[in-house]
Amino acid sequence: PITPGELLCLGSSLAFSGLFYYLYRKKARVVARIQEAPKLQVDDDLPALVSAADGSCLPYVALEGIVLPAKAVLTSHYHEGLQGVIQKLLLKEHRLIWNSLARSW
């Protein structure tokens, strides 16, 4: 005989397993798209390629080329000879909406 507590535990276990499997499959599809991303070289043809793309945006593209730092190269404290740069991001808001509750834009 199975008790109601055991049925509850079994049902919740199956529900959580189904949820986690769904999330796993969703992330696996994203990883597969990233791995299949085309590799482009940073050269003079890149701006024309981006402007010709749908919406002037290339989703999941791997760029290969030489990167020059804006100020100084970052060196790793943990791996000798490993260097990196920081990418500058520009955030442009297209529309500002006044939030009267928070009294902010």
Side-chain angles (χ1 to χ4, degrees), residues 1-93:
I2 299 176
T3 64
E6 291 173 338
L7 283 176
L8 180 67
C9 289
L10 178 65
S12 63
S13 175
L14 288 174
F16 279 121
S17 295
L19 174 69
F20 291 137
Y21 182 72
Y22 167 75
L23 294 174
Y24 165 75
R25 293 300 304 157
K26 188 175 176 182
K27 296 300 178 183
R29 276 180 266 161
V30 172
V31 169
R33 285 187 62 197
I34 291 173
Q35 288 177 343
E36 295 170 357
K39 294 181 181 176
L40 302 176
Q41 295 292 326
V42 178
D43 56 6
D44 295 333
D45 298 333
L46 187 60
L49 183 65
V50 171
S51 63
D54 184 33
S56 296
C57 181
L58 297 172
Y60 298 124
V61 174
L63 292 176
E64 296 177 342
I66 298 173
V67 177
L68 299 175
K71 293 183 181 177
V73 177
L74 300 174
T75 55
S76 173
H77 297 288
Y78 304 107
H79 300 284
E80 191 174 318
L82 188 63
Q83 297 179 337
V85 294
I86 295 177
Q87 176 185 4
K88 288 186 178 181
L89 297 176
L90 174 66
L91 177 64
K92 182 178 179 182
E93 294 188 30

Side-chain angles (χ1 to χ4, degrees), residues 98-105:
W98 175 255
N99 185 349
S100 61
L101 183 63
R103 297 184 182 264
S104 66
W105 290 99

